């Protein structure tokens, strides 16, 4: 401020005549004042620009960007949690009444009217909130009814309305609503609501994983002999595949490990990895809607995802290992007997 004032001095006859400073010194510095004045204006312009970009809050005195963009997907994340809760309530109510059971690909691939109704509730709610045609959807029941299962760069919701339908039919208390969101083919967040337990698992990329708003983390076990592994036998009952599944389970049990478990729902299995209750989950034959939400939760809880051959995780490949660390994952992979399973995004004639 002093520099600014000094650079704008105006010389009058009186001070020049009466003040020794003006009479003897000022004539030598006067030629430079014009340069100082220009530099001062530039300095104030820079300050003005910075003030337009940043401001200081009264409470924290920390700089905050005025132009900082609002988080584009927080609203979608919060809404997904609310919709999952609503869907879970619908499932609980349906479980108290008569359940009409149908089949899809086989006599053990069950579907109920609740699956279809809940998926319509979820997709309808999302379309109403975000607009018709703005987002894409991959839903288990929609795909079963002929809709394509293609993941593009567009904002895409990946939905399993009732993960664990067989559990639901039999009253086995592990049933989950799964909602995941991807953009540019990358998973952004996942929500798994284990509705009969009333446990809301959720995670957003880079923001951590939570169960009922409490942070969760994978276990730190690295000794395979001290681990619990979780898996499923799937819905394909062809003797060749069942033999490979059971052989894999036998080999893992005989490592030995502390135990082998299965909840009947892939999403819940992955959440158990995320909470540290088990060390790993593997399966061949699952679908993208079974694991998309859980994939975000496991990774945000500190876990890893791999293909069953040890390569990178591929959401559409229908096979996966999720584990607390790569030591456990790679040890399990050594025992897995791989069998073919058509990709989710394969042409219909190849499925």
């Amino acid at each position: 401020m002093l520099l600014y004032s000094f650079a704008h001095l105006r010389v009058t006859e009186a001070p020049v005549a009466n003040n020794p400073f003006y009479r003897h010194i000022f004539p030598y510095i006067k030629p430079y004042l014009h340069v100082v004045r220009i530099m001062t204006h530039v300095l104030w312009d820079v300050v003005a620009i910075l003030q337009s970009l940043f401001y200081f809050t009264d409470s924290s005195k920390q700089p905050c960007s005025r132009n900082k963009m609002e988080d584009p997907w927080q609203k979608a994340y919060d809404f997904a949690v609310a919709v999952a809760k609503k869907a879970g309530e619908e499932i609980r109510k349906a479980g108290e009444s008569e359940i009409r059971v149908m089949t899809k690909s086989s006599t053990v691939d069950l579907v109920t009217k609740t699956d279809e109704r809940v998926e319509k509730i979820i997709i309808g709610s999302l379309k109403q909130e975000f607009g018709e045609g703005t987002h894409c959807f991959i839903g288990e029941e929609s795909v079963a009814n002929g809709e394509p299962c293609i993941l593009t760069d567009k904002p895409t919701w990946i939905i399993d309305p009732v993960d664990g339908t067989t559990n639901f039919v039999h009253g086995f208390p592990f049933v989950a609503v799964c909602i995941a969101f991807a953009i540019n083919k990358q998973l952004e967040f996942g929500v798994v609501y284990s509705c009969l337990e009333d446990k809301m698992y959720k995670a957003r990329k880079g923001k951590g994983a939570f169960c009922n708003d409490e942070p969760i983390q994978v276990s730190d076990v690295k000794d395979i002999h001290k681990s619990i592994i979780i898996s499923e036998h799937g819905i394909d009952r062809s003797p060749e595949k069942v033999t490979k599944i059971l052989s894999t389970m036998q080999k893992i049990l005989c490592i030995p490990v502390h135990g082998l478990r299965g909840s009947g729902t892939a999403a819940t299995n992955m959440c158990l990895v995320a909470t540290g209750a088990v060390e790993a989950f593997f399966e061949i034959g699952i679908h993208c809607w079974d694991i998309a939400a859980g994939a975000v939760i496991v990774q945000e809880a500190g876990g890893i995802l791999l293909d069953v051959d040890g390569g990178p995780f591929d959401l559409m490949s229908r096979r996966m290992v999720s584990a607390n660390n790569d030591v456990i994952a790679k040890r399990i992979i050594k025992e897995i007997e791989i069998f073919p399973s058509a990709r989710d995004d394969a042409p219909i004639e190849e499925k």
Side-chain angles (χ1 to χ4, degrees):
M1 197 68 189
L2 289 174
L3 177 64
Y4 186 83
S5 301
F6 184 68
H8 286 77
L9 284 174
R10 293 292 183 267
V11 182
T12 62
E13 293 298 330
V16 171
N18 300 327
N19 192 311
F21 170 78
Y22 286 99
R23 188 168 59 251
H24 300 293
I25 300 175
F26 190 77
Y28 294 100
I29 65 173
K30 183 178 180 180
Y32 299 100
L33 287 180
H34 180 64
V35 175
V36 173
R37 186 178 295 117
I38 293 174
M39 292 177 62
T40 304
H41 280 296
V42 171
L43 176 62
W44 281 108
D45 286 342
V46 171
V47 170
I49 291 171
L50 291 175
Q51 286 178 332
S52 70
L53 294 174
F54 298 94
Y55 68 97
F56 289 86
T57 62
D58 291 335
S59 57
S60 65
K61 301 299 180 183
Q62 296 296 315
C64 303
S65 172
R66 286 184 183 271
N67 296 329
K68 183 178 180 180
M69 291 181 62
E70 183 181 352
D71 187 338
W73 303 123
Q74 185 63 44
K75 178 184 176 183
Y77 179 47
D78 294 338
F79 191 73
V81 172
V83 170
K85 191 80 170 179
K86 178 181 178 182
E89 292 169 358
E90 186 71 19
I91 293 169
R92 283 198 298 268
K93 285 191 295 184
E96 296 170 359
S97 58
E98 183 179 355
I99 301 171
R100 182 184 174 190
V101 183
M102 298 165 284
T103 61
K104 291 188 285 189
S105 62
S106 71
T107 57
V108 296
D109 187 7
L110 307 183
V111 63
T112 70
K113 284 295 183 183
T114 303
D115 296 69
E116 297 173 348
R117 183 171 66 254
V118 170
E119 183 168 307
K120 288 178 181 178
I121 289 172
I122 294 171
I123 293 178
S125 298
L126 294 171
K127 286 181 176 180
Q128 183 177 2
E129 180 70 16
F130 299 105
E132 187 81 30
T134 59
H135 293 181
C136 299
F137 298 88
I138 297 174
E140 178 179 11
E141 307 315 323
S142 301
V143 172
N145 290 325
E147 293 291 326
C149 184
I150 304 296
L151 185 62
T152 69
D153 289 336
K154 295 179 181 179
T156 303
W157 297 89
I158 305 170
I159 300 159
D160 190 346
V162 183
D163 188 33
T165 300
T166 302
N167 288 356
F168 173 62
V169 169
H170 288 272
F172 194 68
F174 298 102
V175 180
V177 178
C178 307
I179 303 175
F181 182 76
I183 187 165
N184 297 321
K185 299 177 183 175
Q186 299 298 312
L187 292 168
E188 177 67 26
F189 60 75
V191 177
V192 173
Y193 182 41
S194 184
C195 54
L196 301 186
E197 299 181 282
D198 194 23
K199 290 184 177 180
M200 179 68 74
Y201 299 94
K202 60 183 181 180
R204 187 161 174 213
K205 187 166 64 177
K207 301 294 181 70
F210 302 86
C211 176
N212 290 347
D213 294 324
E214 293 294 327
I216 55 176
Q217 188 172 3
V218 297
S219 81
D220 58 3
V221 172
K222 291 188 177 181
D223 185 347
I224 189 67
H225 303 100
K226 296 179 180 179
S227 68
I228 291 180
I229 311 302
I230 199 163
S231 188
E232 303 292 341
H233 43 65
I235 58 173
D236 193 325
R237 296 294 189 269
S238 62
E240 299 82 5
K241 292 183 179 180
V242 170
T243 297
K244 286 184 177 290
I245 291 168
L246 295 178
S247 176
T248 296
M249 290 181 175
Q250 179 182 5
K251 290 194 292 183
I252 290 175
L253 274 173
C254 293
I255 289 175
V257 297
H258 274 180
L260 190 63
R261 302 286 186 268
S263 72
T265 146
T268 300
N269 289 343
M270 296 181 79
C271 290
L272 290 171
V273 174
T275 61
V278 302
E279 277 60 57
F281 163 61
F282 72 93
E283 190 174 352
I284 300 174
I286 47 177
H287 293 280
C288 60
W289 48 79
D290 297 316
I291 60 174
V296 186
I297 294 168
V298 168
Q299 289 181 305
E300 286 302 308
I304 64 167
L305 305 170
L306 291 173
D307 190 276
V308 293
D309 66 3
F313 168 65
D314 180 347
L315 179 62
M316 309 303 281
S317 70
R318 298 188 61 198
R319 55 193 215 178
M320 179 209 62
V321 174
S322 63
N324 61 334
N325 57 59
D326 62 349
V327 176
I328 296 292
K330 290 175 180 178
R331 182 64 186 87
I332 292 169
I333 286 168
K334 289 182 180 180
E335 309 299 339
I336 295 177
E337 295 188 22
I338 300 174
F339 54 85
S341 189
R343 293 177 58 86
D344 274 329
D345 53 4
I348 294 177
E349 58 271 17
E350 294 181 15
K351 295 184 178 180

